[in-house]
Amino acid sequence: MTRTAVLLGMGFWRSSVEWWSFRSFVLTMVAGQVVTPLLGLLIWSAAVPGDGSIETYYVVLLAVQLMTVSYEHHTLAGSIYGGDFAVELVKPRPVVLDFLGTNLALRFWHLAFGAPVIIGVGVLAGISLSGRDLLLALPAIVLAAGLRFAFTYTLALTAVWTQRAHGAVGMGEALIFLLGGTAAPLTFLPEPFRAAGAVLPFWSMLGAPAEVAAGNVDDVLRVYAVQAGWFAAAVLLAVLVWRRAVRRFTAFGG
């Protein structure tokens, strides 16, 4: 466990330094990630004027988006398509650690560069957050971040079988947008869609921690339980797909 933590920390540090040298590109990535939550904020604020919970929800959602964003369709799938994945397989450590370290580094820079936007929008919207709700949201954010990484990682592994892994991940991101709470807050959906959305993995990846932080959830433990269940299922699926992908993978050239 200690060795794994050290290797992950080293991977995070190395990736952080590497991405700092591409900070102008990271800024464009951050800009792309903040667009949809800001659009949701503008649209729903106009649709439901005077409801302060809308502003609070979407500002928090913006922060959660930056803390859970995943780019394995570029890092992992790109490595598979380029043949570099073969080098990763012979290194004396779990392959996932390097991609997880890169994932954490990208999330760190996304949050660092996106913080002025979050603070600025929050001040302009005049939102107020409860310290208790923010503390309750921390486990939900960790579970959402882990679930989204496992989900994207599994979809990116399809690059072993197809040249359309980017499309598979793009479809997954579209589902997160539509059903995860960006297109519309879950609390605005009528029953039975609200109940169905609450147990889907897409809301657990994004909207759940935002709702908890905004103080819109009564049964926080139930949210944790749903997230943890989906996280366990996603990790199990990732392991199964990984084992089949390794047996399938073939690299040419040198």
Side-chain angles (χ1 to χ4, degrees):
M1 183 65 70
T2 302
R3 178 177 179 272
T4 299
V6 171
L7 290 172
L8 180 59
M10 292 174 61
F12 168 76
W13 175 256
R14 182 178 64 254
S15 295
S16 297
V17 174
E18 289 176 353
W19 282 104
W20 173 251
S21 62
F22 298 106
R23 51 191 175 275
S24 59
F25 178 59
V26 176
L27 282 171
T28 64
M29 296 166 69
V30 172
Q33 294 298 327
V34 304
V35 168
T36 49
L38 290 181
L39 284 177
L41 172 62
L42 294 174
I43 292 172
W44 283 103
S45 295
V48 190
D51 189 346
S53 64
I54 295 294
E55 288 83 357
T56 302
Y57 170 76
Y58 272 104
V59 171
V60 178
L61 186 78
L62 172 58
V64 175
Q65 170 73 359
L66 296 178
M67 287 188 284
T68 61
V69 62
S70 293
Y71 291 105
E72 281 65 53
H73 48 307
H74 294 299
T75 57
L76 175 58
S79 175
I80 294 172
Y81 290 144
D84 300 329
F85 190 62
V87 178
E88 297 294 329
L89 290 174
V90 298
K91 291 181 179 180
R93 49 119 178 93
V95 173
V96 69
L97 289 181
D98 194 43
F99 295 105
L100 180 57
T102 300
N103 177 282
L104 294 175
L106 282 169
R107 290 174 176 177
F108 170 78
W109 287 122
H110 273 63
L111 184 60
F113 289 134
V117 179
I118 298 170
I119 295 172
V121 175
V123 171
L124 290 174
I127 71 168
S128 60
L129 297 171
S130 164
R132 175 181 175 275
D133 290 333
L134 289 177
L135 289 176
L136 289 174
L138 291 179
I141 292 173
V142 172
L143 288 169
L147 174 57
R148 192 165 180 182
F149 171 77
F151 176 72
T152 310
Y153 189 86
T154 302
L155 292 179
L157 281 174
T158 60
V160 174
W161 291 275
T162 177
Q163 293 292 319
R164 301 182 181 275
H166 290 76
V169 177
M171 178 62 70
E173 290 295 320
L175 290 173
I176 295 173
F177 168 77
L178 292 172
L179 304 175
T182 304
L186 189 67
T187 52
F188 280 13
L189 297 181
E191 295 290 356
F193 300 106
R194 183 188 304 175
V199 296
L200 290 176
F202 312 107
W203 187 68
S204 292
M205 295 182 203
L206 189 60
E211 295 279 15
V212 173
N216 299 333
V217 176
D218 296 325
D219 192 351
V220 178
L221 293 179
R222 182 177 182 275
V223 173
Y224 294 163
V226 172
Q227 287 184 294
W230 280 116
F231 176 64
V235 171
L236 177 60
L237 179 61
V239 171
L240 294 176
V241 174
W242 164 260
R243 290 176 178 175
R244 293 182 63 88
V246 170
R247 291 197 295 266
R248 170 99 177 169
F249 177 74
T250 304
F252 295 93

